[in-house]
Amino acid sequence: MTLFPTYNRYDLSVSKADGTIVEDIDGKKYLDFATGIGVCNLGHRHPAVQQSVEEQLNNYWHVSNLYKQPIQEEVANLIVENSPGDYVFFCNSGAEANEAAIKLARKVTGKEKIITFRQSFHGRTFATMAATGQEKVQEGFGPMLESFAYATFNQINSVKDLMDERTAAVMLEVVQGEGGVFPAEESFMTQLAELCKANNVLLVIDEIQTGIGRTGKKFGFDHYGIEPDIFTIAKGLGNGLPVGAMIAKKEYVAAFGPGAHGSTFGGNPLAMAAAKAVLTTVFEENFLQTAVERSTYLAEQLEEKIKPITFVKEIRQKGLMVGIECTDKVTRLVPELLGKGVLVLNAGESVIRLLPPLTVSKDEIDQAIGYIKEVLQSQAVTL
């Protein structure tokens, strides 16, 4: 083994994948309710994405950002036309997108303090690791970058207590994914937006996991009737190809002029081809309506078949983003479910996280719920 052991890998060697199905090297098939940690929102090898990338492969792969690439403008226009943002910066990942957002917020305001939230997750670079409100992510790396302060999610007074004249921005996820699938409360988001506006503090929303249709709307903040000053996307944007983006209002464009920021591979044409197909597909009204119908069906099945199990403490859901909180640790249950043929994630020690593709069928939901019910019931029996 020549790879750094930075991942606790499960006993699965992937051979191929298509739609909601992943197949291992022995030919065993699995229902994928993890989608590469919320990446393959359209499922694996979606035809429109594959066709778009193949067409771009036959044109060119890379020329650098020193030259105009019309496909970048096309993708940026799709984002801007479907959001409150005005300008887009392309990069390669969610962490890079959040890094760009932090830099822009500090440069625009001339201030350095950024308020984030406990149990948040924003990435693993030094800036985004410091923004992340989880000690386990920060342990062992010495002093964190200064000027990050951590409020309590869904508690507006905790934000007020931290906000002062040095505050540049408040940065948050509208659903804390890695933190346990905790959706923001509507009253909290409304008050937070008003608080930021009243104090000339930028509102930065991390849509890395909630964006591109995951919650049943184009972006997670669409549920709350608010407009961020800056927001970030990645994961589902490329449906498996590495891409991220930071989007901001036009008032802030001058702060990111030539030389202020950059990325060698940001806006790579292959990633842009994937993103163009993804956005064209997901932002179509009928597609999102079908995704909402699937999330409603999933909610009904969870309510009927999973919630009554005594091992289950609470179920939290926003669209096709689900957290099943249990009364004990679930880390041992993820490989057990894998053995039965369904891929899921954990979010912390006691939460099973489901992130099925937005294209998931009712039959596939039924199959996955059946496996999950079987495993959780076996835990309830042993308690």
Side-chain angles (χ1 to χ4, degrees):
M1 173 66 75
T2 55
L3 295 171
F4 270 104
T6 49
Y7 307 102
N8 287 317
R9 299 183 191 272
Y10 298 108
D11 188 18
L12 169 61
S13 296
V14 177
S15 172
K16 54 187 175 181
D18 187 62
T20 313
I21 304 300
V22 169
E23 187 173 327
D24 70 15
I25 57 176
D26 297 317
K28 181 177 178 178
K29 295 181 179 180
Y30 305 79
L31 283 167
D32 189 357
F33 271 52
T35 55
I37 315 182
V39 168
C40 297
N41 284 7
L42 294 179
H44 298 279
R45 295 183 58 237
H46 188 276
V49 179
Q50 182 161 331
Q51 180 180 343
S52 185
V53 172
E54 287 177 350
E55 289 175 358
Q56 185 59 49
L57 272 168
N58 291 322
N59 292 331
Y60 69 98
W61 302 358
H62 177 81
V63 294
S64 99
N65 285 310
L66 296 175
Y67 312 109
K68 295 178 181 179
Q69 301 182 64
I71 194 169
Q72 291 184 353
E73 290 289 344
E74 292 177 40
V75 177
N77 286 338
L78 282 169
I79 295 169
V80 168
E81 289 166 2
N82 290 278
S83 78
D86 298 304
Y87 283 86
V88 179
F89 173 82
F90 288 116
C91 50
N92 308 287
S93 69
E96 288 183 37
N98 285 337
E99 188 90 17
I102 291 166
K103 287 180 67 173
L104 181 61
R106 291 180 63 156
K107 196 165 190 289
V108 163
T109 63
K111 301 175 183 179
E112 68 280 358
K113 183 176 179 180
I114 295 178
I115 298 171
T116 62
F117 291 83
R118 296 183 184 91
Q119 293 306 117
S120 62
F121 184 84
H122 298 292
R124 296 183 185 274
T125 65
F126 253 94
T128 58
M129 179 171 59
T132 294
Q134 299 188 51
E135 288 186 4
K136 67 179 182 181
V137 175
Q138 302 172 347
E139 287 176 356
F141 295 101
M144 290 294 101
L145 296 182
E146 297 178 357
S147 301
F148 287 93
Y150 311 107
T152 302
F153 198 58
N154 280 326
Q155 293 186 20
I156 194 65
N157 286 335
S158 72
V159 183
K160 291 179 180 178
D161 290 343
L162 293 173
M163 193 172 286
D164 55 31
E165 69 280 354
R166 299 182 301 112
T167 306
V170 176
M171 182 177 187
L172 78 160
E173 308 151 277
V174 294
V175 182
Q176 288 191 330
E178 301 290 333
V181 191
F182 286 96
E185 296 170 1
E186 189 168 349
S187 60
F188 171 73
M189 291 302 298
T190 300
Q191 293 176 75
L192 181 61
E194 292 173 350
L195 180 66
C196 287
K197 187 174 182 179
N199 289 274
N200 292 316
V201 169
L202 300 184
L203 178 60
V204 180
I205 296 185
D206 176 339
E207 289 275 351
I208 306 304
Q209 196 164 144
T210 52
I212 322 300
R214 172 56 57 186
T215 66
K217 291 187 180 290
K218 295 174 182 177
F219 302 100
F221 55 73
D222 289 334
H223 290 277
Y224 302 95
I226 62 171
E227 292 190 0
D229 295 289
I230 302 169
F231 69 97
T232 56
I233 52 177
K235 286 189 180 290
L237 178 59
N239 210 65
L241 273 75
V243 60
M246 183 272 294
I247 302 95
K249 289 185 175 293
K250 59 179 177 293
E251 295 94 309
Y252 315 123
V253 66
F256 258 25
H261 197 49
S263 170
T264 296
F265 295 109
N268 173 272
L270 299 180
M272 292 292 95
K276 180 181 176 181
V278 167
L279 296 175
T280 301
T281 302
V282 173
F283 288 170
E284 203 273 322
E285 185 176 350
N286 290 337
F287 179 90
L288 281 174
Q289 182 56 45
T290 300
V292 170
E293 291 170 2
R294 293 292 185 268
S295 70
T296 300
Y297 183 75
L298 177 57
E300 291 169 352
Q301 298 308 303
L302 289 165
E303 179 73 19
E304 177 186 344
K305 298 174 181 176
I306 303 301
K307 189 175 180 180
I309 299 171
T310 56
F311 187 66
V312 175
K313 181 179 179 181
E314 183 181 30
I315 297 175
R316 297 181 290 272
Q317 181 177 358
K318 200 77 169 175
L320 285 167
M321 188 174 183
V322 176
I324 304 171
E325 184 171 357
C326 299
T327 58
D328 201 354
K329 294 180 180 180
V330 300
T331 48
R332 67 187 184 282
L333 304 185
V334 175
E336 189 172 337
L337 281 163
L338 184 150
K340 290 186 175 295
V342 59
L343 309 183
V344 301
L345 303 160
N346 64 290
E349 292 187 338
S350 62
V351 177
I352 293 174
R353 182 172 28 151
L354 309 180
L355 297 169
L358 308 183
T359 54
V360 68
S361 70
K362 289 184 177 180
D363 286 344
E364 290 167 338
I365 289 173
D366 289 339
Q367 291 176 51
I369 290 294
Y371 291 130
I372 294 166
K373 179 180 178 181
E374 185 179 341
V375 168
L376 293 179
Q377 278 184 330
S378 70
Q379 295 302 309
V381 169
T382 61
L383 291 178

